[in-house]
Amino acid sequence: MTNAKKKERIWEIDFFRGLLILYMIFMHLMYDLQYFYGINVNYNGGILHISRIIFAPFFIIISGISTAFSRNSFRRGLIVFLVAMGMTLVTYIMDSELFIVFGILHFMGIWMMISPLFKKLPTLWIFAFCGVFIVISLIIPHIKVSHNYLFMLGFYNSSFASLDYYPLLEYGWAFLLGMGLSRILYKEKKSIFPFTIKSRFVNFFGRYSLYVYVVHQPIMLLLLKPIMKIIL
């Protein structure tokens, strides 16, 4: 049973997800340095800002691809969403004015839960819906609203704030693209590469990405406190 489970894993999924998780940790480190310790790393501008725009969709795309290997996407999504709500509660307790209202884990949890509906569709339809969501993502920023009731979908006004924000409609195309690509690239449920990159370090972060996401920030802040005392 153990060997069978190992064979089911696609090394590149773990590897690329692991790289993205390591990138996320680096970005959160930059955030902590700027907003907790006043070190101007230009978090909201320059190359860091551009990289966030580029790399975030890749994380969602891989999540969409991973639904092809999930036996119960709804259950997996529910777990992710409950973890996300836990993070909302914790960040609210820390700062009730600026906390994670609807972040990437909320987004992915809900999309995982509804992904079984899209799994029933032909591949062409999935890509068609992906195109529709791309158009929606271009239109939504230009729609003005007077309330924040539909913030989960991407409709909000200037009074809305969230430490992390990935609305369902604006980034839905990336998840659907991943689902569509999984139909093409992983029909046989095996690696598409003729080689294997063996990196236990990177693959560890990819395989246990949810756990890493939850614990990395508290651990990093605990480590930064004594280090920054020495440096500053």
Side-chain angles (χ1 to χ4, degrees), residues 78-97:
L78 181 60
I79 291 171
V80 171
F81 184 75
L82 290 176
V83 170
M85 292 305 296
M87 295 190 70
T88 294
L89 178 61
V90 170
T91 54
Y92 177 80
I93 292 171
M94 292 175 63
D95 187 348
S96 61
E97 293 187 2

Side-chain angles (χ1 to χ4, degrees), residues 76-160:
R76 185 163 164 257
L78 181 60
I79 291 171
V80 171
F81 184 75
L82 290 176
V83 170
M85 292 305 296
M87 295 190 70
T88 294
L89 178 61
V90 170
T91 54
Y92 177 80
I93 292 171
M94 292 175 63
D95 187 348
S96 61
E97 293 187 2
L98 185 60
F99 56 99
I100 299 175
V101 179
F102 198 82
I104 196 164
L105 288 187
H106 298 78
F107 169 91
M108 290 197 298
I110 290 179
W111 267 101
M112 286 177 194
M113 284 191 282
I114 65 176
S115 66
L117 299 175
F118 287 94
K119 280 184 178 181
K120 297 177 181 179
L121 299 176
T123 303
L124 187 61
W125 275 92
I126 290 178
F127 282 115
F129 273 109
C130 176
V132 169
F133 275 91
I134 288 175
V135 173
I136 290 174
S137 71
L138 297 174
I139 295 174
I140 281 181
H142 302 287
I143 298 176
K144 306 298 181 184
V145 294
S146 58
H147 56 77
N148 294 316
Y149 303 131
L150 301 177
F151 67 87
M152 288 193 301
L153 300 179
F155 302 101
Y156 61 94
N157 59 32
S158 58
S159 65
F160 178 79

